[in-house]
Amino acid sequence: MQQARSMVSRLSSRLQALASAPCRSLSCAQDVLHRTPLYDFHLAHGGKMVAFAGWSLPVQYRDSHVNSHLHTRQHCSLFDVSHMLQTKIFGCDRVKLMESLVVGDIAELKPNQGTLSLFTNEAGGILDDLIVTSASEGHLYVVSNAGCREKDLTLMQDKVRELQNKGSDVALEVMDNALLALQGAVTSGCPSPCLKKNVAMGYVPYEYSRPGTPLLVEVRRKQQPAVVSKMPFVSTNYYILK
């Protein structure tokens, strides 16, 4: 009799556990999201939190994206990079290593100056974008996307082992071949709230790359006039360390 009661009790416990499993699973899924040090700040300022690469991050605040964009241009904004892959590269060959991975001129960076660059593979193809800063403490500080964390870290580790300087010539050859075949291609584009017109980046044959050159760009099967412009599209007015 005692054994029967014990079996019924265990069965009842299991049924209750099964019944509550979906709720508990959902709760666990929410609990495992990492939070940056600015999590409470985001909530206090109306941040709409979403899951991204295992982190709880604000996708938008109370104002619209356009208002946030204009505020950044007219005043100042900070971006929370706590969730991103942050890497410090030490050693006398750190610049050589980095320039074998990205397309930026890392050697020309001044102390505490950073640049947005592109992470490339062995064939010169673009894997990711990242920011490289030459820290005054004698190392390179690299910030790359959280969603590509494992891929980027693996490639950097492989390059550290190889310590070869062969990503530039290959990249230029691939880009030139692509331009001849495609006669130019837009890689990204969006409306500019500041300029109140569309802007884009892309590849064009060398003879059409001079600023001020008129082009025709196909947008939704319609050709639109465009002009080659020198970046940045909007003049910066932020403080630059000298």
Side-chain angles (χ1 to χ4, degrees), residues 10-134:
R10 287 200 299 269
L11 179 60
S12 176
S13 298
R14 289 184 181 181
L15 289 174
Q16 290 177 358
L18 288 173
S20 61
C23 297
R24 191 169 67 249
S25 176
L26 178 60
S27 176
C28 290
Q30 293 173 340
D31 292 341
V32 297
L33 288 179
H34 299 291
R35 296 178 178 181
T36 73
L38 297 178
Y39 177 82
D40 292 334
F41 175 90
H42 296 317
L43 288 182
H45 288 77
K48 180 181 178 182
M49 311 302 288
V50 299
F52 176 77
W55 293 81
S56 181
L57 298 171
V59 69
Q60 184 178 347
Y61 290 98
R62 295 190 185 98
D63 296 331
S64 67
H65 288 100
V66 172
N67 289 338
S68 295
H69 174 96
L70 293 176
H71 176 89
T72 301
R73 286 293 186 185
Q74 296 167 3
H75 304 285
C76 182
S77 295
L78 294 176
F79 183 70
D80 186 1
V81 299
S82 307
H83 65 289
M84 303 181 76
L85 174 61
Q86 302 173 57
T87 309
K88 292 182 179 180
I89 302 178
F90 297 87
C92 59
D93 288 328
R94 60 185 180 276
V95 172
K96 179 180 177 181
L97 168 69
M98 208 64 220
E99 288 191 341
S100 72
L101 291 169
V102 302
V103 297
D105 192 355
I106 308 303
E108 294 301 315
L109 290 177
K110 298 177 181 178
N112 294 323
Q113 182 182 16
T115 182
L116 177 65
S117 191
L118 298 173
F119 214 5
T120 58
N121 58 22
E122 293 292 340
I126 298 173
L127 295 174
D128 196 6
D129 58 345
L130 43 71
I131 297 176
V132 183
T133 300
S134 178

Side-chain angles (χ1 to χ4, degrees), residues 85-226:
L85 174 61
Q86 302 173 57
T87 309
K88 292 182 179 180
I89 302 178
F90 297 87
C92 59
D93 288 328
R94 60 185 180 276
V95 172
K96 179 180 177 181
L97 168 69
M98 208 64 220
E99 288 191 341
S100 72
L101 291 169
V102 302
V103 297
D105 192 355
I106 308 303
E108 294 301 315
L109 290 177
K110 298 177 181 178
N112 294 323
Q113 182 182 16
T115 182
L116 177 65
S117 191
L118 298 173
F119 214 5
T120 58
N121 58 22
E122 293 292 340
I126 298 173
L127 295 174
D128 196 6
D129 58 345
L130 43 71
I131 297 176
V132 183
T133 300
S134 178
S136 58
E137 293 85 354
H139 64 266
L140 295 179
Y141 174 57
V142 183
V143 178
S144 51
N145 289 315
C148 301
R149 179 186 183 91
E150 298 303 324
K151 179 180 65 176
D152 290 353
L153 192 56
T154 299
L155 181 58
M156 292 184 70
Q157 291 172 339
D158 290 343
K159 275 294 181 179
V160 169
R161 285 190 289 266
E162 295 174 10
L163 200 60
Q164 296 176 343
N165 189 21
K166 61 180 181 179
S168 311
D169 293 336
V170 175
L172 289 176
E173 288 176 8
V174 171
M175 287 168 57
D176 288 343
N177 291 338
L179 295 182
L180 292 174
L182 299 175
Q183 292 300 309
V186 174
T187 57
S188 63
C190 65
S192 169
C194 295
L195 300 176
K196 294 182 172 57
K197 61 179 68 174
N198 294 327
V199 296
M201 294 189 295
Y203 297 127
V204 296
Y206 178 78
E207 59 267 28
Y208 298 106
S209 63
R210 185 181 298 275
T213 303
L215 301 173
L216 287 176
V217 180
E218 186 175 303
V219 182
R220 297 184 180 88
R221 299 183 180 180
K222 292 183 179 180
Q223 290 190 334
Q224 303 291 343

